[in-house]
Amino acid sequence: GQNIDQPTEMTATEGAIVQINCTYQTSGFNGLFWYQQHAGEAPTFLSYNVLDGLEEKGRFSSFLSRSKGYSYLLLKELQMKDSASYLCAAMDSNYQLIWGAGTKLIIKP
Amino acid sequence: GAVVSQHPSWVICKSGTSVKIECRSLDFQATTMFWYRQFPKQSLMLMATSNEGSKATYEQGVEKDKFLINHASLTLSTLTVTSAHPEDSSFYICSARHGEGNYEQYFGPGTRLTVT
């Protein structure tokens, strides 16, 4: 079956760095997405990885290892506004997104 | 670019009535649109995938006669919740995707449905 695993909740301190891990098992693979979702709002796109390695975009970076079925989202210089849920989604061979349950990130001052 | 709108943003209706939610891609043509449902503190649940001009593909467990999806044009898809019940109260989110070569999904702002 197809499955995405990510931690349910994480807590970090303002100004620090946090890494949110995601492992996936899909029928075929066409890339890994990370989305941010604030409470009561729709998800917003953060990153897309299809090749192995690290993609950096400002304070956010995303890493992919296809051989390990593993990705992480790295958030640096955490700000209070980064408190949100972070959704990992893998695209299968039919170009459908398989969604994780999301990781709720709590930022403390 | 790549803006998706939804209307209404929130709606309250009585049990037994029907509600229509519109999803529009404002600045691009969406060959595929997706409808999701999200209950509080849970992740997105894909309800159905619709391609312009063809019937929607529903996920297992989603009643196609209850959740009617129409994708009449490349910029508009509608979801009609028929004979609504309180358990249908949820956050409904649509997303749209460009054509071949770009698989990012652009999300609408969501519609919060409350059935009383």
Side-chain angles (χ1 to χ4, degrees):
Chain A
Q2 308 200 98
N3 190 51
I4 307 287
D5 283 318
Q6 53 180 129
T8 304
E9 186 173 297
M10 298 182 71
T11 302
T13 305
E14 190 177 15
I17 299 173
V18 70
Q19 177 175 311
I20 303 174
N21 296 324
C22 170
T23 58
Y24 63 88
Q25 289 179 304
T26 54
S27 301
F29 179 74
N30 281 297
L32 194 292
F33 291 82
W34 284 96
Y35 283 83
Q36 179 191 60
Q37 186 178 24
H38 285 98
E41 299 179 10
T44 55
F45 171 80
L46 289 178
S47 67
Y48 171 64
N49 294 63
V50 67
L51 300 176
D52 285 353
L54 185 68
E55 296 270 349
E56 298 185 72
K57 192 185 293 186
R59 294 189 299 116
F60 292 8
S61 303
S62 57
F63 172 84
L64 176 67
S65 169
R66 294 177 66 136
S67 62
K68 295 181 179 178
Y70 167 70
S71 173
Y72 68 71
L73 180 69
L74 189 71
L75 293 78
K76 303 177 183 176
E77 300 169 19
L78 286 170
Q79 302 175 10
M80 297 304 292
K81 66 178 182 180
D82 297 330
S83 293
S85 286
Y86 291 85
L87 307 175
C88 170
M91 183 170 285
D92 68 11
S93 58
N94 294 319
Y95 299 98
Q96 298 285 52
L97 284 179
I98 311 301
W99 293 88
T103 299
K104 182 179 180 181
L105 178 62
I106 300 168
I107 309 296
K108 295 185 175 180
Chain B
V3 178
V4 177
S5 70
Q6 268 184 254
H7 178 79
S9 54
W10 61 270
V11 58
I12 301 173
C13 71
K14 294 184 178 181
S15 288
T17 62
S18 295
V19 175
K20 180 186 282 189
I21 302 170
E22 292 186 349
C23 177
R24 293 181 185 273
S25 56
L26 299 184
D27 51 3
F28 68 100
Q29 293 187 326
T31 55
T32 306
M33 287 185 167
F34 304 86
W35 286 97
Y36 294 86
R37 181 167 53 181
Q38 187 175 36
F39 293 105
K41 299 184 180 181
Q42 294 186 24
S43 189
L44 300 172
M45 291 177 54
L46 180 65
M47 299 175 67
T49 302
S50 74
N51 292 293
E52 185 265 338
S54 61
K55 290 184 178 180
T57 302
Y58 290 81
E59 294 300 300
Q60 195 171 11
V62 178
E63 301 173 57
K64 61 179 68 177
D65 293 331
K66 179 172 179 62
F67 299 99
L68 303 178
I69 292 172
N70 184 284
H71 193 162
S73 76
L74 285 172
T75 59
L76 173 64
S77 177
T78 60
L79 167 68
T80 302
V81 182
T82 62
S83 188
H85 290 281
E87 55 264 32
D88 298 325
S89 298
S90 186
F91 192 43
Y92 290 86
I93 309 172
C94 74
S95 69
R97 195 168 73 189
H98 283 286
E100 298 300 318
N102 183 340
Y103 299 106
E104 180 183 341
Q105 291 186 24
Y106 302 95
F107 285 86
T111 297
R112 187 159 302 283
L113 170 64
T114 302
V115 184
T116 60

